[in-house]
Amino acid sequence: AQSVSQHNHHVILSEAASLELGCNYSYGGTVNLFWYVQYPGQHLQLLLKYFSGDPLVKGIKGFEAEFIKSKFSFNLRKPSVQWSDTAEYFCAVNPRGSQGNLIFGKGTKLSVKP
Amino acid sequence: EADIYQTPRYLVIGTGKKITLECSQTMGHDKMYWYQQDPGMELHLIHYSYGVNSTEKGDLSSESTVSRIRTEHFPLTLESARPSHTSQYLCASKHRNLGATEAFFGQGTRLTVV
């Protein structure tokens, strides 16, 4: 069955530290890839997405992600986190031809200490 | 800002009661989804719809039912709530795959069945 793995359940960083959250998926075909963020008390919102083209994707608030097809990975990065980045981050995959249904990882909770 | 709304935000209800969780979107999206999310777990797709009069079951079996009589409205109903139904329910919508697009999420309904 198709699945998405997020390696870290809870990450705690100090402000200005660099961030990398891992995401791997199991699907051999073409995929669309997403990172969603959920700030405390708010709805899930799109951070960035990859459909095709340049595998290095830039999103909002200084986040970026790199699609490495050979590793089935789509890791999220940010060079310097802020306290306001405290949130839960979800990686999601939409296998092409699956009618747009998203498969989510379990999420990574990021806590940034001021 | 996504225009997708869920009501109620929080609901505590007794076992055996019938409940309907509301979801409405004003973006004219054809596709709508219901996900179930437990703490620390991935979002699981329980229902989706391609458009009016279309409903499909998702990857996770659920005792809930849905209807899609109008494009903008996708309510979820539990005929007889049980404690095992306690969870967070997220509604989402997206355009058809004319080019890939992302899903927009509501703020969720946190259901507690006592």
Side-chain angles (χ1 to χ4, degrees), chain B residues 30 32 48-56 66-69 74:
Chain B
D30 297 304
M32 295 190 74
Y48 60 100
S49 166
Y50 297 136
V52 171
N53 294 325
S54 154
T55 60
E56 304 285 344
V66 292
S67 61
R68 191 89 183 275
I69 298 172
F74 191 41

Side-chain angles (χ1 to χ4, degrees), chain A residues 31-35 46-68 73-79:
Chain A
V31 294
N32 299 321
L33 298 155
F34 306 83
W35 275 98
L46 185 71
L47 201 55
L48 48 77
K49 61 188 177 186
Y50 172 81
F51 296 148
S52 63
D54 188 345
L56 185 60
V57 179
K58 294 195 183 298
I60 60 171
K61 303 186 180 186
F63 285 91
E64 65 178 30
E66 185 175 14
F67 171 48
I68 302 179
S73 70
F74 191 55
N75 292 355
L76 181 71
R77 298 194 292 250
K78 185 171 184 178

Side-chain angles (χ1 to χ4, degrees), chain B residues 89-109:
Chain B
Y89 294 84
L90 296 174
C91 181
S93 71
K94 71 190 296 267
H95 276 297
R96 293 173 295 173
N97 272 348
L98 299 175
T101 58
E102 70 269 23
F104 293 89
F105 284 81
Q107 287 193 291
T109 294

Side-chain angles (χ1 to χ4, degrees), chain B residues 16-113:
Chain B
K17 299 289 186 184
K18 178 180 178 179
I19 59 170
T20 296
L21 307 185
E22 301 288 349
C23 176
S24 295
Q25 50 94 7
T26 59
M27 297 173 282
H29 287 168
D30 297 304
K31 296 186 175 181
M32 295 190 74
Y33 308 84
W34 276 103
Y35 288 87
Q36 186 173 338
Q37 182 187 23
D38 294 314
M41 302 296 290
E42 59 267 66
L43 281 72
H44 287 289
L45 181 67
I46 52 174
H47 298 283
Y48 60 100
S49 166
Y50 297 136
V52 171
N53 294 325
S54 154
T55 60
E56 304 285 344
K57 288 195 177 293
D59 306 319
L60 182 68
S61 175
S62 173
E63 293 168 343
S64 58
T65 59
V66 292
S67 61
R68 191 89 183 275
I69 298 172
R70 303 197 315 268
T71 297
E72 62 271 22
H73 195 213
F74 191 41
L76 180 146
T77 298
L78 276 165
E79 290 292 332
S80 179
R82 294 208 297 269
S84 61
H85 296 139
T86 294
S87 188
Q88 174 155 257
Y89 294 84
L90 296 174
C91 181
S93 71
K94 71 190 296 267
H95 276 297
R96 293 173 295 173
N97 272 348
L98 299 175
T101 58
E102 70 269 23
F104 293 89
F105 284 81
Q107 287 193 291
T109 294
R110 190 169 293 279
L111 172 66
T112 303
V113 184

